[in-house]
Amino acid sequence: MDTEKMIHLFKLAEKAAEKSYSPYSHFPVGAALLMEDGTIFTGTNIENRSFGLTNCAERSATFAAASAGYRRFVAIAISTPKSDYPVGPCGACRQVLSEFAEPNTPVWFGCNEATIEKTTLGQLYPFDSLHELAENLPQ
């Protein structure tokens, strides 16, 4: 994935964070998810006073893409504009992303462009056996 595309994706994640509904944590998060055909889905965190019902930005974007029929994601950028340091996706988001993306999928996250961490889904989620399991299921 070239740097220019990933910076564009990160800027879209920053824009998505502006739409966050985070009245409890005051911690907006935005995500931008790139599909194989170039389509981009964005999402933001949506909180609920019953915190367990809160949905993360990464999952919001993933569910929007999957609901539109997309099943192959090729990159994601995540913006946490009010954090003091780059904050990567939580474990639940890593699990959901691994359902639709390969381990080599680029994952960029940061508070702003100067703090972006560049990694892959496989580096964030190194012991994902689900892809191996899926390959061995009867068709």
Side-chain angles (χ1 to χ4, degrees), residues 24 27 41 57 65 84-85 92 104 111 113 116:
Y24 307 104
F27 190 79
F41 288 88
D84 295 329
Y85 54 86
N104 64 347
C111 331
E113 278 187 59
I116 292 175

Side-chain angles (χ1 to χ4, degrees), residues 96-114:
V96 169
L97 288 167
S98 77
E99 184 75 18
F100 300 101
E102 296 298 323
N104 64 347
T105 301
V107 179
W108 285 25
F109 58 93
C111 331
N112 54 52
E113 278 187 59

Side-chain angles (χ1 to χ4, degrees), residues 32-62:
L33 192 57
L34 180 64
M35 306 298 108
E36 283 182 313
D37 69 358
T39 301
I40 297 171
F41 288 88
T42 60
T44 191
N45 56 323
I46 308 296
E47 293 181 352
N48 187 277
R49 63 184 169 271
S50 173
F51 200 71
L53 300 178
T54 293
N55 200 49
C56 297
E58 301 91 328
R59 284 183 281 148
S60 291
T62 299

Side-chain angles (χ1 to χ4, degrees), residues 7-135:
I7 293 293
H8 175 68
L9 208 58
F10 186 79
K11 287 180 185 292
L12 292 174
E14 287 180 313
K15 199 153 192 63
E18 294 172 8
K19 296 179 180 160
S20 169
Y21 179 73
S22 47
Y24 307 104
S25 71
H26 307 286
F27 190 79
V29 181
L33 192 57
L34 180 64
M35 306 298 108
E36 283 182 313
D37 69 358
T39 301
I40 297 171
F41 288 88
T42 60
T44 191
N45 56 323
I46 308 296
E47 293 181 352
N48 187 277
R49 63 184 169 271
S50 173
F51 200 71
L53 300 178
T54 293
N55 200 49
C56 297
E58 301 91 328
R59 284 183 281 148
S60 291
T62 299
F63 297 159
S67 293
Y70 287 89
R71 302 290 188 261
R72 303 295 310 143
F73 309 163
V74 297
I76 188 168
I78 304 149
S79 171
T80 55
K82 289 191 176 178
S83 63
D84 295 329
Y85 54 86
V87 177
C90 73
C93 288
R94 293 173 194 203
Q95 178 69 52
V96 169
L97 288 167
S98 77
E99 184 75 18
F100 300 101
E102 296 298 323
N104 64 347
T105 301
V107 179
W108 285 25
F109 58 93
C111 331
N112 54 52
E113 278 187 59
T115 65
I116 292 175
E117 291 288 333
K118 303 169 185 174
T119 189
T120 65
L121 187 56
Q123 289 172 311
L124 288 174
Y125 196 41
F127 300 106
D128 174 20
S129 62
L130 293 177
H131 286 97
E132 293 168 13
L133 177 65
E135 289 171 5

